[in-house]
Structure formats: C-alpha cells, structure tokens
Amino acid sequence: MKELYRFRQFLTEGVIKENIDFPELEDEFEGAMDAMVVEPEVYLQDIINASPEEIVSDDYYEVMNAVEQGVYSKDEAVKLAKEWARKKLSTLDEGVIKENMYIDDEEFEMEMGRSKKDSLKKEMMMHVDQLMDGNIDMIDFMNVVEEIMLDVKLAAKDEELNKRLKQNG
C-alpha cells in the first residue's frame, strides 16, 4: 500500500504540472478520431502546419468558440494548439497510444536482452506517459491501479491458502 501511496504522490505532484491542458482541441481531436475521418498523425501534423487563421476558424470549431468567448486570445489559442499537437504527435511517434498492456514471451525475446521486469516497466511507463499527456483521466487511472493491487493481493492470499490446504490435506 505504501508503493501505491508513493505512486499517487508522484502522479499528482509531477504529472499534472506537465500537461498541456487544451480541452477544446482535445474534444476536436476525439471527435475526428471517433469519426475516423483522418489518421491521428495527419490530423496533428495539420494543426502544426496550420496558419493562425485556420486554427481559429470553424475547422476547429471548439477552439474558435473558446477564442470568441474570451477563454483564450487568438495568439494563446494558436500557441497552445501547436504545442498540444506537437506533444500529442510525439506520443504517437513513441507508439504510446498504439501500445497495449499485454506483453507475451515472444515480445520479451524480441526485446533482446531486456529483462521481463524492464519490459514491464517500459510498458507501464507508456501508460503513465499517456496519463501525463492527458489522454487518460487521473481518477480512472488510479481506480485501475487500485483494482490491480487488490486483485494481486487477493491472488496472493488465494495462492497461500491453496498452499496450506495442500500441506494439510
């Protein structure tokens, strides 16, 4: 439980400060991805290459509305949009969004010299990076971590109980 507390502390102290928070553009991105209109890399590169006028237009309706409502100035919105897109694109380039949590033995062997612990740590850090980038909700992430820790403890207790039954049985 101490590890979970330290992990929570790490996340709340270090992670949140590094997020580029731009929910309007996150909404636009999620909508485009849900509609499967364009690949994520193309969408993000288009933002990076877009002129200020394009970013604050109905091409990015949520961003345009936020500027019109005074949430951001035009310059702030453009700067935030480009920083957000670069950060999101870098996570795509690292394969973070496309990775899944399962690692089988073949993948371990392909890691060429990496221990299973190192590979698992790398895999876990990809999900922490997703959290840091704002792609995973903090509360959801912590709930999953707590559930996993509970499952591990229950499995250990079951294993211990089965061991005792075999010894006494």
Side-chain angles (χ1 to χ4, degrees):
M1 207 48 125
K2 187 185 253 185
E3 293 85 19
L4 183 59
Y5 174 76
R6 276 190 255 143
F7 187 62
R8 252 181 210 227
Q9 193 174 22
F10 161 76
L11 291 174
T12 55
E13 289 175 3
V15 173
I16 295 174
K17 294 175 187 173
E18 295 181 19
N19 281 347
I20 297 175
D21 188 28
F22 200 13
E24 294 82 4
L25 197 51
E26 187 70 44
D27 290 346
E28 292 283 347
F29 178 74
E30 287 175 12
M33 295 307 101
D34 288 345
M36 295 190 289
V37 175
V38 67
E39 291 295 316
E41 295 87 353
V42 173
Y43 185 88
L44 296 168
Q45 193 61 54
D46 285 349
I47 294 171
I48 294 167
N49 296 337
S51 69
E53 291 74 28
E54 290 172 313
I55 291 175
V56 185
S57 72
D58 59 2
D59 288 347
Y60 304 100
Y61 186 76
E62 295 289 335
V63 176
M64 180 184 74
N65 276 345
V67 170
E68 287 175 356
Q69 294 171 5
V71 177
Y72 309 102
S73 70
K74 182 179 177 181
D75 291 339
E76 288 172 326
V78 169
K79 182 180 177 186
L80 259 175
K82 291 184 180 283
E83 286 178 27
W84 179 88
R86 281 187 194 95
K87 181 82 171 169
K88 186 79 119 179
L89 187 59
S90 74
T91 62
L92 284 174
D93 289 342
E94 293 167 8
V96 172
I97 290 176
K98 295 178 182 173
E99 286 289 334
N100 82 34
M101 190 65 179
Y102 178 74
I103 301 176
D104 64 20
D105 287 336
E106 281 183 37
E107 287 180 269
F108 285 129
E109 290 171 14
M110 290 191 311
E111 291 284 344
M112 296 176 40
R114 292 185 76 121
S115 70
K116 285 187 177 187
K117 181 181 175 184
D118 289 343
S119 295
L120 183 58
K121 182 178 179 180
K122 176 183 169 190
E123 195 68 28
M124 292 294 294
M125 288 309 296
M126 283 190 245
H127 292 282
V128 171
D129 289 343
Q130 281 288 308
L131 175 68
M132 292 170 59
D133 293 339
N135 297 323
I136 299 174
D137 180 69
M138 171 74 81
I139 294 169
D140 291 342
F141 185 85
M142 292 312 302
N143 287 338
V144 169
V145 170
E146 286 175 354
E147 286 176 27
I148 290 169
M149 296 299 290
L150 182 61
D151 289 346
V152 167
K153 286 180 182 179
L154 289 174
K157 285 181 182 179
D158 285 347
E159 189 175 314
E160 187 177 318
L161 181 62
N162 287 336
K163 202 182 230 182
R164 285 185 192 170
L165 289 173
K166 284 181 184 179
Q167 288 174 350
N168 294 334

